[in-house]
């Protein structure tokens, strides 16, 4: 079970529910102090978030199975496309796959389309909501041939899903299909295997979903493969030399992470009570101790922090929300 199929299969177990807040971490927000604001609604499968160097917020959408996967600038509670018209592909009877996560680095916006096996990039200065770009305007690099050549999984499978950069500007990619961390050299674009993540249990693959660089190491969240048992997801630490260790364990269906003001991981769980017996809605924002900061979320898919606010997308509700405390 890989991340490309996650939403179509996981969401079958996630029923509609009302949103409430739950703050149980004494090191997080005090009860009743979380401010929640819906910034944008009606998005088509929002999956990625990123800020540019000027602090502007961008959101990616997988689309609706047409050529409508896109990236938009969020301004005045509106998502204004800056890149549009990329393929969106059916994923089961009701869900779709397209652009996943994004990153600003080296004066460019980089983003992944796991179904195409491609890393796209465009200069930041070219992003203009008044003149949206198409795929023809983008620089692209095929990732799938290199990833397949590693032969890390049988049958071959790749889903380049999330990315970050190191202190030197190298792009580092988490591939949810082959359970690998891939390093792309700045300047040359040369790809190399940095790490192959072990199974989280003997029967469950890692399925990496989120990656950040904390200034010393890479931190990688894992969904964990089916049956997505409660407590089977972990945060791995990967050194710049590719040494893998467990940073924190006992999470469930981790989807993404960001760094707190104290430079510690803050994660989102798609569901927190196990996929086959969830008390719904049961997604949450949690800290490095595994404590709940915000609970009762439905289908959170991406998280980014700016100041004392956390921005979260809901792929199941088509929302971009901001939580402040």
């Amino acid at each position: 079970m890989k991340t490309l199929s996650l939403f179509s299969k996981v969401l079958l177990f996630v029923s509609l529910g009302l949103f409430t807040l739950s703050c149980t971490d004494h090191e997080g927000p005090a009860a009743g102090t979380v401010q929640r604001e819906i910034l944008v609604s009606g998005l088509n499968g929002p999956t990625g978030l990123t800020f540019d160097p000027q602090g502007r917020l961008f959101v990616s959408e997988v689309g609706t199975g047409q050529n409508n996967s896109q990236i938009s600038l969020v301004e005045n509670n509106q998502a204004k496309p800056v890149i549009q018209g990329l393929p969106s592909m059916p994923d089961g009877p009701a869900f779709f796959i397209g652009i996943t996560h994004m990153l600003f680095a080296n004066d460019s916006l980089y983003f992944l389309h796991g179904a195409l096996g491609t890393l796209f990039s465009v200069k930041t200065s070219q992003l203009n909501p008044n003149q949206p770009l198409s795929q023809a305007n983008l620089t692209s690099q095929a990732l799938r041939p290199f990833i397949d050549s590693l032969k890390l999984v049988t049958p071959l499978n790749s889903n380049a899903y999330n990315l970050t950069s190191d202190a030197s500007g190298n792009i580092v990619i988490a591939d949810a299909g082959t359970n690998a961390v891939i390093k792309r050299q700045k300047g040359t674009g040369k790809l190399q295997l940095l790490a192959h993540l072990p199974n989280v249990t003997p029967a469950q693959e890692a399925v990496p979903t989120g990656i950040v660089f904390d200034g010393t190491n890479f931190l990688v969240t894992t969904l964990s493969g089916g049956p997505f048992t409660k407590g089977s997801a972990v945060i791995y630490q990967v050194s710049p030399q590719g040494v893998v260790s467990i940073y924190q364990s006992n999470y469930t269906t981790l989807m993404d992470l960001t760094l707190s003001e104290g430079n510690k991981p803050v994660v989102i769980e798609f569901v927190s009570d196990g996929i086959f017996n969830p008390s719904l809605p049961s997604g949450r924002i949690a800290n490095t101790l595994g404590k709940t900061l915000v609970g009762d979320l439905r289908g959170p898919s991406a998280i980014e922090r700016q100041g004392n606010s956390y921005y979260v997308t809901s792929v199941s509700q088509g929302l971009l929300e901001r939580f402040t405390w």
Side-chain angles (χ1 to χ4, degrees), residues 230-290:
K230 183 176 176 64
S232 64
V234 304
I235 304 173
Y236 281 116
Q237 178 176 282
V238 180
S239 76
Q241 295 75 37
V243 178
V244 178
S245 58
I246 292 179
Y247 181 91
Q248 188 63 272
S249 58
N250 199 34
Y251 292 97
T252 306
T253 60
L254 290 173
M255 285 301 300
D256 196 16
L257 77 165
T258 188
L259 294 173
S260 70
E261 291 182 280
N263 207 41
K264 298 296 183 181
V266 175
V267 301
I268 50 173
E269 293 180 335
F270 197 80
V271 295
S272 300
D273 294 328
I275 210 67
F276 292 109
N277 187 29
S279 60
L280 300 174
S282 67
R284 65 171 182 153
I285 304 173
N287 70 5
T288 188
L289 302 175

Side-chain angles (χ1 to χ4, degrees), residues 191-218:
L191 302 172
Q192 66 181 88
L193 175 65
L194 181 62
H196 184 215
L197 302 179
N199 287 1
V200 295
T201 74
Q204 291 177 277
E205 296 181 42
V207 192
T209 50
I211 184 168
V212 296
F213 183 62
D214 69 2
T216 303
N217 297 296
F218 301 98

